[in-house]
Amino acid sequence: MTEWQAVDHMHLLRIVLPHVTLGAYVPQLVGQLEETGSTSGMKAIRLIGQELLAILHKSGEPTATSSVFLSLANHKSDSVRCWSAYIIGLDNTLSLEEKLAQIRKFAADHHFGVREIAWMAIRDSLLHDLNHSIQLLSEWVLDTDQNIRRFAVEATRPRGVWCKHIDALKNEPARCLPLLTPVKSDPAKYVQDSVGNWLNDASKSQPDWVTQLCDEWLKTSDTKETKRIITKAKRTILKSRTEQK
C-alpha cells in the first residue's frame, strides 16, 4: 500500500504515453487527475484505465487486441499493467467470458498489486450475473496456478477489501460453495488465506452457516490446510463468543 500511494501517476503518464503513440493525450489525462484530486492510489488507477479505454474506443480497433493496449498490458511497470486491467474491466463491449479471458493475464501477474487490481477491475461485471459468474469461475478454482485459484475466491468475497459488498452473498453464502469446496484444503497459503477470509466475511452475517460448514469440512478433510482455513474463517465468531462471556 505504501508503494501504491507513493507512485506519481501523472509523472508516469508523461513518460509512458509518448512511447505508445498517445503522447497527445497526456495533458487531457493529467488534467483529469488534477481536477478530480485522483493523483495516486486506487482512484488514479481506475480513472486512468477509464480514460485510456475511451481513447482506445475512438480508434475503432478491438481494445484487447490493439497494439497500444498490448504495449500497456505488457509494460514493465506494474502500475501501467494495473491501468490495463481496468481497461478490460470497464470495457462493456466485452462479454463476461471475454473479460475473464483477458483479465486472466493480470490475475496471474507476478506482482501482487496487479493481481489485486485484476479482481477489483472485474468485480462489478461479475455481480451483474452472479450465478453465471460462479459457474465460469468454478473452472478457475481447479487451475494449477495458485494465483488463478485465489482470484476466483477473492473476486467474490462477500465483504471484500476496498470494494462494494455483495449483499446476495452476505445473505446466501452457500451460493459460492462451487468455488469454496474445491479449495477447502488447498496446498497454497495464498489461497488458504483467501478462503479463510471469504468465510470470515460470511460469518459476520451468517455465523451459523459458517460454523456448520467448518464442522463438515473437518469431518471430510482433516488436513493441516483445512484446519488453517477454518482458524481464519472462525476468527470473528470466536471473538464474538469471547466478548459475550
Side-chain angles (χ1 to χ4, degrees), residues 13-14 16-28:
L13 282 168
R14 293 186 180 103
V16 172
L17 293 195
H19 289 286
V20 294
T21 70
L22 296 181
Y25 293 98
V26 169
Q28 172 187 324

Side-chain angles (χ1 to χ4, degrees), residues 54-63 66:
I55 291 168
L56 291 173
H57 275 174
K58 290 178 183 177
S59 72
E61 289 185 74
T63 303
S66 73

Side-chain angles (χ1 to χ4, degrees), residues 132-152:
H132 186 44
S133 297
I134 292 170
Q135 180 183 8
L136 294 173
L137 291 174
S138 65
E139 297 181 8
W140 287 46
V141 293
L142 302 177
D143 200 272
T144 56
D145 187 336
Q146 64 174 340
N147 294 324
I148 297 298
R149 300 196 303 275
R150 191 258 187 181
F151 172 95

